[in-house]
Amino acid sequence: MGSKRGDKARINQQRKRSKEELTTGFVMPKWSQISSHPSENLTPQKLANILKEAETGEVYRQMELFEDLEDKDLHLFSQLQTRKLAVTGLDYEVISNSDDPKDKEIAKFVEDIFKNIDDWESAVLDMLDAIGKGFSTLEINWNYRDGDFIIENFTWLHQKHFFWDDNNTFKIRTEDFPMGTMIPKYKVLVHQYKAKSGVPSKAGILRAAAWAYIFKNYSIKDWATFLEIYGMPLRVGMYDDSTTVEDKRRLMEAVVRLGSDAAGIIHRNTSIEFIDNVSKGTSGDLYEKFVNFWDRAVSKAILGQTLTSEVGSNGSYAASKTHNEVRQDLTEADCRALMGTIKKQIIKPLVLFNFGADYENRLPSYKIKYEPPEDTMEIAKTYKVVINGIGLPVAKSHVYEKLGIPEPQDHEELVIPMAIQQTQQRFQVVSNRSSVPIQKNTIVDLDEAGQVVDSMVNRATLESIPLMKKLFEPIMNVIQNSGSYDEMLNKLADLYPTLTTDDLEELMTNSLNTVNLVGRWSIGG
């Protein structure tokens, strides 16, 4: 198949150069498999040093710190997961560069590659690790099979293996090159996320979240200490001037033991006083408010808002739905960035290695379907007003397309509304009285069929006119004797107190249309 795609000799020469380089995997340094966990005993000064170090291009400790933050802060972890899953749950498609048969062939080839990649959704999730850390790195596992270069799967590579040297060149540390080496082209996928402008090592959201984490962590530690002694009386040992050093030591041991064992012994010349601490109970609220403050700040940084994560206690569904639009903007930005990376770093080499450089400018696109689904009920209401109320002509094909409903074919059985079914049954009664009978399963002359239909319509209309007058006369009186639209609705509301405003408007529209049709038929007759 590959020999039919372009210049066979040139493609084969390129493949020969690339085959060994692409299909050889990386071996990561053994010393880097265990984290140093820089979040242990983290202080503001230590955090500042780690972040400053990353600004020079050495991101090793920063990436280990970011991993610790996700492990230890459940709220931070859940918000990042929400941001990532908003993308991984979306469908995608591969779109050809044009309608040219060759472009369609290329797109079909690329689409088949994606379908056969092992756990492609996990690879997308790994790419989105860049949201928190600024960039994500995956090894592209190539294979050469049946004359084609294919991608079998991806291996996530920890960002701490990568760095920028003094010349701002992006490199990787491996077992063979612990000091760093150049990354083979098209061997490592690097997806970048820019939360802000500047060097890539400063782009991740977790740099800002790290400060929230440290302040929140201090507060949680104080809160835990507070809860440990909350409600328990303070134990104060008392001694006088004659108490020896040894007696003081024993007194201190007794006080400590009373805290955990609620039992102890002391010298007769010493005493222990219990002071009630319950008055400090309200202080616990301060810790909780402080922790919640930083959680909300993290939610804003990651999701762009806080309400959807707190809607159970602090908001309504409607408000959450409104705020969700902000997160939709972030999701769309994440998708567009991902689509660009996939096209440049996956689709491009696939086309180059399998079709040749002649097709480099005819790359298919990877399209993530990130557009939110439209509310078809609202669209249907709009069509109802436009068509029935205003009388604006609308093409049926447009309505089918907008509502996402396939247009029925000639051979397909149609779903008929109950009201129409009942009307058809009444017309069937009329047609049975007609002088022009129709037998089932027989071919009927069109002229005869037309006579039957005319007869059915005439009889049905004649029989319905008295009912129409009786039914719509009070409504028409209201319409004719009202000075304004609001007055009309108010009067109709008095006539039909159980109907909503939408129901009243629909009743008024149907009345006018029906009276108009009956009037036209009467004049024509």
Side-chain angles (χ1 to χ4, degrees):
M1 183 169 63
S3 61
K4 299 178 181 179
R5 294 183 181 130
D7 188 333
K8 180 178 178 180
R10 183 170 46 182
I11 294 175
N12 287 339
Q13 184 179 8
Q14 183 179 13
R15 289 176 173 178
K16 186 177 180 180
R17 290 196 308 267
S18 304
K19 183 177 179 181
E20 183 176 354
E21 187 176 62
L22 289 176
T23 56
T24 302
F26 290 112
V27 179
M28 294 298 105
K30 295 179 181 179
W31 47 265
S32 65
Q33 294 177 5
I34 301 176
S35 176
S36 62
H37 297 293
S39 65
E40 293 181 359
N41 301 317
L42 187 64
T43 63
Q45 184 60 51
K46 182 179 178 181
L47 174 59
N49 290 338
I50 292 174
L51 299 182
K52 288 178 182 179
E53 181 181 81
E55 293 176 14
T56 66
E58 183 52 74
V59 297
Y60 192 96
R61 288 203 301 164
Q62 176 175 277
M63 293 307 167
E64 287 194 334
L65 173 65
F66 289 169
E67 188 175 39
D68 280 355
L69 299 189
E70 289 188 79
D71 288 342
K72 293 183 176 181
D73 193 320
L74 297 179
H75 180 79
L76 177 62
F77 173 80
S78 68
Q79 298 299 276
L80 281 172
Q81 283 296 99
T82 299
R83 176 79 175 265
K84 295 174 188 177
L85 294 177
V87 176
T88 58
L90 300 175
D91 293 329
Y92 73 90
E93 61 180 331
V94 178
I95 304 174
S96 62
N97 183 265
S98 71
D99 291 332
D100 184 271
K102 194 66 179 182
D103 289 336
K104 289 187 175 181
E105 177 192 347
I106 294 173
K108 180 64 168 58
F109 175 83
V110 171
E111 184 177 27
D112 290 341
I113 294 293
F114 281 115
K115 288 181 179 179
N116 289 286
I117 290 176
D118 294 339
D119 205 355
W120 170 242
E121 186 174 310
S122 292
V124 173
L125 187 67
D126 289 338
M127 292 183 219
L128 293 170
D129 197 38
I131 294 172
K133 300 172 183 175
F135 69 93
S136 59
T137 44
L138 288 77
E139 181 179 1
I140 306 175
N141 297 315
W142 294 88
N143 201 349
Y144 188 70
R145 183 184 301 161
D146 299 330
D148 295 323
F149 271 103
I150 64 171
I151 297 175
E152 291 191 329
N153 50 46
F154 295 84
T155 302
W156 179 76
L157 300 175
H158 201 299
Q159 291 92 329
K160 68 181 181 181
H161 298 304
F162 297 83
F163 69 99
W164 285 267
D165 65 11
D166 295 337
N167 297 319
N168 203 32
T169 302
F170 195 56
K171 293 184 176 180
I172 183 174
R173 291 188 179 95
T174 65
E175 183 70 21
D176 296 329
F177 299 95
M179 301 304 295
T181 184
M182 298 295 295
I183 303 172
K185 195 173 184 181
Y186 302 129
K187 181 58 181 172
V188 173
L189 182 149
V190 181
H191 178 59
Q192 292 183 309
Y193 173 79
K194 291 191 66 173
K196 61 177 182 177
S197 301
V199 296
S201 61
K202 298 174 62 176
I205 290 177
L206 285 173
R207 271 184 71 96
W211 289 108
Y213 168 83
I214 195 171
F215 296 136
K216 173 184 170 182
N217 195 46
Y218 275 131
S219 183
I220 289 178
K221 287 180 179 179
D222 293 340
W223 194 4
T225 302
F226 172 82
L227 292 175
E228 186 177 355
I229 64 172
Y230 171 70
M232 296 179 62
L234 296 177
R235 303 169 300 281
V236 180
M238 306 181 69
Y239 61 89
D240 55 27
D241 293 339
S242 63
T243 306
T244 65
V245 174
E246 180 63 18
D247 288 337
K248 292 178 181 178
R249 184 186 64 79
R250 291 177 179 176
L251 176 61
M252 186 63 189
E253 290 179 356
V255 170
V256 172
R257 287 173 183 169
L258 280 174
S260 57
D261 300 334
I265 59 174
I266 60 175
H267 194 276
R268 67 176 61 189
N269 294 330
T270 59
S271 65
I272 296 176
E273 183 177 351
F274 293 87
I275 302 175
D276 193 2
N277 188 38
V278 74
S279 60
K280 294 184 179 179
T282 55
S283 301
D285 294 340
L286 298 178
Y287 295 111
E288 183 176 7
K289 289 178 180 178
F290 193 67
V291 169
N292 289 338
F293 168 80
W294 288 113
D295 280 346
R296 289 193 297 271
V298 167
S299 295
K300 290 177 183 177
I302 298 175
L303 301 182
Q305 48 81 26
T306 64
L307 192 55
T308 51
S309 61
E310 302 165 1
V311 66
S313 58
N314 295 328
S316 63
Y317 170 78
S320 175
K321 185 177 179 181
T322 301
H323 279 251
N324 225 7
E325 296 176 1
V326 179
R327 194 174 71 182
Q328 174 66 24
D329 293 340
L330 293 176
T331 298
E332 291 183 11
D334 292 340
C335 289
R336 287 192 293 268
L338 204 61
M339 287 156 51
T341 296
I342 292 172
K343 183 174 183 178
K344 293 176 183 177
Q345 300 186 42
I346 299 179
I347 294 179
K348 181 178 179 180
L350 279 172
V351 173
L352 287 177
F353 297 146
N354 292 289
F355 293 86
D358 294 341
Y359 298 95
E360 183 176 358
N361 296 323
R362 297 169 61 173
L363 301 177
S365 299
Y366 183 90
K367 167 65 176 175
I368 301 176
K369 301 176 182 180
Y370 55 75
E371 296 85 358
E374 294 186 277
D375 190 339
T376 54
M377 289 300 295
E378 289 298 323
I379 296 175
K381 289 180 181 179
T382 301
Y383 281 130
K384 186 175 182 180
V385 173
V386 168
I387 297 172
N388 294 337
I390 304 177
L392 184 68
V394 178
K396 287 196 300 183
S397 59
H398 172 77
V399 177
Y400 279 116
E401 179 182 356
K402 199 68 176 175
L403 295 178
I405 301 174
E407 191 167 356
Q409 303 300 315
D410 294 338
H411 64 280
E412 293 181 318
E413 184 178 358
L414 302 182
V415 177
I416 303 175
M418 183 59 67
I420 296 179
Q421 292 182 30
Q422 293 173 349
T423 302
Q424 288 177 338
Q425 292 172 359
R426 289 196 297 269
F427 281 180
Q428 184 63 41
V429 173
V430 175
S431 67
N432 290 337
R433 303 172 186 169
S434 174
S435 59
V436 185
I438 296 180
Q439 300 296 327
K440 290 185 178 180
N441 301 322
T442 59
I443 299 177
V444 180
D445 183 84
L446 292 179
D447 290 338
E448 292 181 359
Q451 294 175 20
V452 172
V453 172
D454 289 342
S455 175
M456 291 166 58
V457 172
N458 290 341
R459 290 178 179 274
T461 306
L462 285 171
E463 292 179 3
S464 65
I465 286 178
L467 178 62
M468 293 294 180
K469 288 183 177 180
K470 184 176 181 181
L471 179 63
F472 294 112
E473 186 174 2
I475 303 174
M476 294 306 299
N477 288 335
V478 168
I479 294 174
Q480 293 171 356
N481 298 318
S482 297
S484 66
Y485 185 80
D486 290 339
E487 182 184 353
M488 188 189 326
L489 283 181
N490 291 333
K491 289 182 178 179
L492 287 176
D494 292 336
L495 283 176
Y496 307 98
T498 61
L499 298 183
T500 65
T501 301
D502 289 342
D503 294 334
L504 292 173
E505 290 179 339
E506 183 177 359
L507 177 63
M508 181 177 63
T509 302
N510 291 339
S511 302
L512 288 172
N513 290 337
T514 304
V515 171
N516 181 43
L517 288 174
V518 172
R520 287 175 180 270
W521 184 88
S522 301
I523 295 174

